[in-house]
C-alpha cells in the first residue's frame, strides 16, 4: 500500500468516527425526549413565520395559553396532554430543560448546541435497527428567559441556515449519493433567511439526489433541541483535503505510512542546543510571558519543527507556554491553529494573549461560525487593528536584557563548573553538605552548623591542610569540653540581648586583663629570684627557656639530695648558719 492509499483509508475511518453513524447520533436518529426537545410543528403559524424570518418571538406567542379573567391557565381542567398541562405550560417545562442543557454544553465545552431544525428526513436503514430521522436544515437559535420566574422565553435565530452535514455524509457513505450542502444552498443566498418556497425547493432537490435511497422522504416539521454539530466541519476538511493530508509527513505517519514514520522520527531525534535560550539575541526572541528553562526548551523544539507531546500537571505553565509559542510563531510570519476540546483551555490562552495586547490577532472559532457575515466583520476588524499596530523596536530594552541574561548565565556556569582538586562543582559540594545530618542516635541533636569557605581557602585545602584542620578541631573540642559538659563557669550563662552580649564581652576583657596583670607580677617575681631579668615578650621565652630548664634541673637535684626537713626549716636561719660554717672553714 502506497502513501496516498494509506492516508485515504485512514481518512475514511477518521471521518466515520467523527460522524458516529450509530443510533446515538441525534443528527441522524432524532427522537422526541421526555423534556429535552421542543416540537414547534403545532405552534402558531404566524409566530413561526416571524421566527423563521429572523424576528424575535416569545414562547407564549408560539403557544398561546387560555386565560381566565386575564390570568393564564397553565394546567387544563380536562388534563390534556401526557403531563396534564396545556401546550404553553408543557413548552415552558421543555424549554427550561433545553436551555439548561445548552448552557451546560457552552460552559463545559464552549460550543453552541441549540439549533432549530426544519424538515425531517426518513429512510429505511440498511445497517442498523434504529429508525432514521434526521433534521434537514439547521440554524443556531438564541433562547433567553424573561424574568427570574422562567415563565416565558424569547426565541431568535442567531446564525445561518445550513444543511445537516451528518445527513449528507451518511448518504455518501451508506448509499453513495453525490450531494453537497453548498450546491443545494448556494442558489438561495447566504442562508440568513429562507422562505417556505425556498425550503420546499431545497427539500425537492435533496430528495431527487437521494432517489435511490430506500423510502427516502422529507416531512414538514420544526423542532428545537441540542445537537452536537461541531465535528462536521472536520469531516468536510478531511474529505476535501486528501492531497494536502497525504503530502504532510505527520499526517501520513498517523495514517501508518512507514516512510513517513521514519521521516518524522529522524527529524525529532535532532537535538536542540540546551543553551539556546541564553545565546538567542533578544531581537529574535518573542516571549511575551515568563518562561523557565524547560518551557523555553519546548518552545525552541516547536520552532525547530519538532513534533512532540508536552505533558504536565495543572499549574505547571502549559497555557503560558502555548501562549508564548503562538506569539513566537506569529512573529515569524506563521499562521497558528490552536484547538482544544474544552472551552476553558481556549479561554486560558486567549486571556493571556489579550492581557499583553495581542487579542486582536485571535480569531476565536471554538464555538463554531454562526454567520459568515459576522466572521467577515470580525476578520476585517482584526486586519484593521493589525495595520494600526506600530512595529516594535526596543534596542535599549534588548541591551539591558542581554546584560542581565549574561550575568545570570555566568552565575549558573560558576555554580555547575567542576573545579580542582576534587573535580566537583560548587553545587555538588553544597548538595553533599546539605545531605550531612546530625547523629540519629542522639535525641534532640541538631544539624551541624553551616560554614562558608572562601574560594581561596578551598583551593588551598589539600590533604596535609585537611589533616591539620582535623587536629585543630580535635584540640578545640578538648578545650571546649568543660563548657559543653557544664563544668565551666560560663556554661549556664544566658545571653539574650545585644546589651547582655556587650556586658559579657566587657567582663571577659576584664578577666583577661586581671589574669594578665597577675601573670606579669608573678613572672617579675620569678625573674628577680632567678636573676635572669624580666620577660619582655612571649618571643623572649626562646632565649630564657634554657636557663629555666637548667634551674629546674638543679632544683630537682637539690630536692633529691636533701631531706624534706630542710625545706621546712627557717630559710633565714639556715642561710645564716651556712654563712658561719663557710666562714669558719667548714666544708
Amino acid at each position: 500500500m502506497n502513501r496516498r492509499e494509506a492516508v485515504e483509508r485512514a481518512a475514511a475511518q477518521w471521518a466515520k468516527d467523527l460522524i458516529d453513524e450509530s443510533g446515538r447520533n441525534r443528527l441522524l436518529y432524532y427522537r422526541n425526549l421526555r423534556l429535552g426537545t421542543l416540537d414547534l410543528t403545532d405552534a402558531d403559524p404566524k409566530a413561526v413565520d416571524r421566527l423563521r424570518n429572523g424576528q424575535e418571538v416569545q414562547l407564549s406567542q408560539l403557544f398561546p395559553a387560555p386565560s381566565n379573567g386575564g390570568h393564564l391557565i397553565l394546567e387544563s381542567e380536562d388534563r390534556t396532554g401526557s403531563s396534564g398541562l396545556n401546550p404553553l405550560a408543557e413548552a415552558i417545562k421543555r424549554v427550561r430543560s433545553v436551555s439548561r442543557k445548552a448552557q451546560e454544553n457552552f460552559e463545559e465545552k464552549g460550543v453552541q448546541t441549540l439549533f432549530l431544525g426544519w424538515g425531517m428526513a426518513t429512510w429505511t436503514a440498511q445497517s442498523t435497527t434504529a429508525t432514521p430521522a434526521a433534521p434537514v436544515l439547521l440554524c443556531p437559535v438564541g433562547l433567553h428567559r424573561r424574568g427570574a420566574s422562567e415563565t416565558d422565553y424569547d426565541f431568535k435565530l442567531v446564525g445561518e441556515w445550513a444543511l445537516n452535514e451528518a445527513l449528507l455524509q451518511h448518504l455518501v457513505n451508506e448509499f453513495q449519493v453525490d450531494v453537497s450542502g453548498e450546491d443545494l444552498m448556494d442558489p438561495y443566498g447566504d442562508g440568513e433567511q429562507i422562505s417556505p418556497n425556498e425550503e420546499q425547493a431545497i427539500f425537492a432537490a435533496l430528495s431527487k439526489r437521494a432517489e435511490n435511497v430506500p423510502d427516502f422522504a422529507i416531512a414538514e416539521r420544526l423542532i428545537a433541541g441540542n445537537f452536537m454539530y461541531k465535528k462536521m466541519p472536520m469531516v468536510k476538511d478531511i474529505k476535501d483535503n486528501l492531497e494536502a493530508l497525504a503530502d504532510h509527513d505527520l499526517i501520513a505517519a498517523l495514517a501508518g505510512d512507514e516512510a513517513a514514520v521514519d521521516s518524522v522520527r529522524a527529524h525529532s531525534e535532532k537535538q536542540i542546543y540546551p543553551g539556546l535560550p541564553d545565546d538567542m539575541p533578544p531581537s529574535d526572541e518573542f516571549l511575551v510571558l515568563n518562561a523557565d528553562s524547560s518551557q523555553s526548551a519546548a518552545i525552541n523544539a516547536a520552532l525547530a519543527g519538532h513534533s512532540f507531546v508536552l505533558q504536565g500537571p495543572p499549574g505547571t505553565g502549559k497555557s503560558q507556554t502555548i501562549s508564548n509559542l503562538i506569539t513566537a510563531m506569529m512573529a515569524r510570519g506563521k499562521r497558528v491553529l490552536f484547538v482544544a476540546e474544552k472551552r476553558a483551555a481556549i479561554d486560558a490562552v486567549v486571556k493571556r494573549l489579550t492581557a499583553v495586547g495581542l487579542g486582536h490577532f485571535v480569531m476565536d472559532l471554538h464555538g463554531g461560525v454562526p454567520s459568515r457575515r459576522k466572521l467577515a466583520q470580525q476578520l476585517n476588524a482584526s486586519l484593521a487593528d493589525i495595520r494600526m499596530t506600530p512595529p516594535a523596536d526596543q534596542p535599549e530594552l534588548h541591551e539591558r536584557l542581554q546584560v542581565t541574561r549574561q550575568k545570570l548565565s555566568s552565575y549558573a556556569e560558576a555554580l555547575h563548573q567542576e573545579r580542582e582538586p576534587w573535580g566537583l562543582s560548587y553545587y555538588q559540594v553544597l548538595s553533599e553538605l546539605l545531605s550531612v545530618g546530625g547523629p540519629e542516635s542522639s535525641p534532640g541533636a541538631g544539624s551541624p552548623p553551616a560554614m562558608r569557605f572562601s574560594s581561596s581557602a578551598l583551593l588551598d585545602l589539600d590533604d596535609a591542610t585537611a589533616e591539620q584542620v582535623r587536629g585543630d578541631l580535635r584540640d578545640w573540642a578538648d578545650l571546649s569540653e568543660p563548657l559543653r559538659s557544664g563544668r565551666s563557669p560560663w556554661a549556664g550563662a544566658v545571653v539574650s540581648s545585644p546589651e547582655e552580649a556587650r556586658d559579657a564581652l566587657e567582663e571577659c576583657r576584664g578577666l583577661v586583663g586581671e589574669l594578665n596583670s597577675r601573670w606579669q607580677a608573678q613572672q617579675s617575681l620569678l625573674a628577680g629570684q632567678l636573676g635572669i631579668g624580666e620577660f619582655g615578650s612571649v618571643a623572649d621565652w626562646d632565649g630564657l627557656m634554657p636557663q629555666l630548664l637548667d634551674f629546674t634541673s638543679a632544683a630537682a637535684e637539690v630536692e633529691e639530695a636533701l631531706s624534706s626537713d630542710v625545706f621546712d626549716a627557717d630559710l633565714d636561719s639556715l642561710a645564716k648558719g651556712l654563712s658561719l660554717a663557710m666562714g669558719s672553714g667548714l666544708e
Side-chain angles (χ1 to χ4, degrees):
M1 182 185 302
N2 60 33
R3 177 168 175 152
R4 176 60 184 260
E5 292 173 346
V7 172
E8 286 182 352
R9 186 181 66 174
Q13 185 61 45
W14 295 338
K16 186 175 182 180
D17 293 340
L18 287 170
I19 294 175
D20 182 17
E21 298 182 76
S22 67
R24 297 186 303 269
N25 191 340
R26 295 185 58 216
L27 287 168
L28 296 176
Y29 302 94
Y30 172 85
R31 66 183 186 278
N32 284 330
L33 302 178
R34 187 174 66 88
L35 289 176
T37 55
L38 177 65
D39 196 329
L40 300 176
T41 304
D42 296 328
D44 182 81
K46 294 181 179 180
V48 170
D49 287 340
R50 293 199 304 272
L51 175 63
R52 289 190 297 196
N53 289 331
Q55 300 180 32
E56 186 174 84
V57 178
Q58 297 176 21
L59 184 62
S60 57
Q61 295 172 338
L62 290 166
F63 298 94
S67 63
N68 182 10
H71 298 285
L72 295 178
I73 300 175
L74 297 182
E75 186 172 359
S76 62
E77 296 179 358
D78 58 357
R79 314 292 294 178
T80 59
S82 60
S83 63
L85 302 177
N86 66 42
L88 177 59
E90 180 73 18
I92 290 174
K93 286 185 60 178
R94 289 179 173 273
V95 167
R96 285 175 184 168
S97 177
V98 170
S99 177
R100 289 169 185 171
K101 184 62 177 178
Q103 184 68 22
E104 177 185 330
N105 289 336
F106 184 78
E107 291 177 352
E108 292 186 1
K109 301 177 181 179
V111 293
Q112 165 67 265
T113 62
L114 183 56
F115 286 87
L116 194 65
W118 193 356
M120 187 67 66
T122 57
W123 62 94
T124 301
Q126 303 295 307
S127 57
T128 179
T129 59
T131 302
V136 179
L137 290 170
L138 292 168
C139 184
V141 62
L143 189 60
H144 305 285
R145 67 183 183 182
R146 296 175 65 88
S149 60
E150 297 184 343
T151 57
D152 204 355
Y153 287 81
D154 291 330
F155 272 86
K156 187 176 181 180
L157 301 182
V158 294
E160 302 172 356
W161 288 99
L163 280 164
N164 181 353
E165 290 289 344
L167 169 62
L168 302 184
Q169 190 65 39
H170 180 72
L171 294 177
V172 172
N173 296 341
E174 192 74 9
F175 303 104
Q176 292 74 49
V177 174
D178 183 16
V179 61
S180 167
E182 293 180 355
D183 292 342
L184 295 175
M185 294 292 294
D186 280 347
Y188 307 103
D190 55 12
E192 287 193 358
Q193 292 184 5
I194 295 180
S195 67
N197 291 335
E198 293 173 337
E199 169 240 359
Q200 293 299 324
I202 294 172
F203 291 172
L206 178 59
S207 299
K208 182 173 179 58
R209 299 283 185 93
E211 58 185 359
N212 294 327
V213 177
D215 304 318
F216 185 86
I218 300 177
E220 184 72 23
R221 195 173 177 187
L222 195 65
I223 57 174
N226 286 284
F227 299 95
M228 297 299 290
Y229 194 58
K230 64 176 184 177
K231 294 182 179 179
M232 294 314 303
M234 299 172 62
V235 176
K236 187 175 185 302
D237 283 344
I238 292 175
K239 177 182 176 182
D240 296 343
N241 296 282
L242 284 175
E243 192 68 35
L245 294 177
D247 289 341
H248 198 285
D249 283 342
L250 182 59
I251 301 298
L254 293 175
D257 183 71
E258 293 297 332
V261 171
D262 293 340
S263 176
V264 172
R265 182 179 292 116
H267 184 75
S268 297
E269 288 176 351
K270 296 179 182 178
Q271 297 297 321
I272 303 297
Y273 172 53
L276 184 59
D278 298 333
D279 298 338
M280 182 178 295
S283 58
D284 195 35
E285 187 178 44
F286 300 94
L287 305 184
V288 295
L289 300 169
N290 294 336
D292 61 21
S293 57
S294 63
Q295 295 166 350
S296 296
I299 294 170
N300 291 329
L303 292 176
H306 285 207
S307 301
F308 58 90
V309 175
L310 182 63
Q311 185 177 6
T316 53
K318 297 186 296 298
S319 297
Q320 189 155 316
T321 302
I322 292 172
S323 302
N324 274 327
L325 179 57
I326 290 175
T327 58
M329 291 287 190
M330 288 166 48
R332 287 164 173 77
K334 296 183 179 294
R335 291 170 293 180
V336 181
L337 174 63
F338 173 51
V339 297
E341 182 178 2
K342 295 296 180 70
R343 178 69 206 182
I346 298 287
D347 289 339
V349 173
V350 173
K351 181 180 178 180
R352 285 169 169 79
L353 294 176
T354 303
V356 296
L358 298 176
H360 56 277
F361 285 95
V362 178
M363 182 69 67
D364 188 357
L365 302 177
H366 186 271
V369 183
S371 169
R372 285 179 286 183
R373 177 178 298 176
K374 292 182 179 179
L375 175 63
Q377 291 172 350
Q378 183 181 356
L379 181 60
N380 183 66
S382 297
L383 293 174
D385 289 339
I386 293 172
R387 286 194 298 268
M388 297 297 294
T389 302
D393 187 15
Q394 300 287 339
E396 296 181 358
L397 178 62
H398 291 168
E399 184 177 355
R400 292 200 304 271
L401 174 60
Q402 187 75 7
V403 172
T404 304
R405 176 180 289 173
Q406 289 176 352
K407 289 182 179 180
L408 294 175
S409 299
S410 63
Y411 295 155
E413 182 180 355
L415 183 65
H416 296 283
Q417 180 183 359
E418 293 185 354
R419 302 175 183 275
E420 297 299 334
W422 302 325
L424 297 175
S425 68
Y426 182 68
Y427 176 83
Q428 292 172 315
V429 173
L430 282 181
S431 299
E432 292 295 331
L433 290 176
L434 291 174
S435 66
V436 177
E440 297 181 0
S441 59
S442 303
S447 300
M451 301 185 67
R452 294 182 177 273
F453 297 93
S454 65
S455 58
S456 59
L458 292 175
L459 291 174
D460 294 338
L461 190 59
D462 52 14
D463 291 342
T465 306
E467 186 60 35
Q468 180 181 350
V469 170
R470 294 190 189 98
D472 292 341
L473 291 175
R474 285 193 293 266
D475 293 342
W476 175 83
D478 293 338
L479 292 173
S480 63
E481 193 277 334
L483 181 63
R484 292 183 288 107
S485 63
R487 293 186 288 105
S488 169
W490 288 96
V494 178
V495 178
S496 58
S497 67
E499 291 76 14
E500 292 180 357
R502 285 192 292 269
D503 293 341
L505 182 59
E506 291 300 326
E507 188 71 21
C508 291
R509 289 174 177 171
L511 289 174
V512 171
E514 181 180 347
L515 292 174
N516 186 45
S517 299
R518 292 180 183 177
W519 177 80
Q520 289 179 349
Q522 292 295 329
Q523 66 94 14
S524 297
L525 178 60
L526 178 60
Q529 292 290 337
L530 297 178
I532 59 177
E534 295 187 7
F535 312 131
S537 64
V538 175
D540 295 339
W541 281 77
D542 290 340
L544 296 175
M545 284 302 295
Q547 301 180 50
L548 289 174
L549 292 175
D550 291 343
F551 172 78
T552 303
S553 178
E557 292 177 1
V558 171
E559 181 180 7
E560 184 179 356
L562 300 177
S563 64
S564 59
D565 296 338
V566 174
F567 296 97
D568 296 334
D570 184 9
L571 293 180
D572 292 337
S573 299
L574 181 59
K576 187 181 294 184
L578 288 174
S579 177
L580 292 174
M582 293 176 66
S584 61
L586 297 178
E587 295 181 359

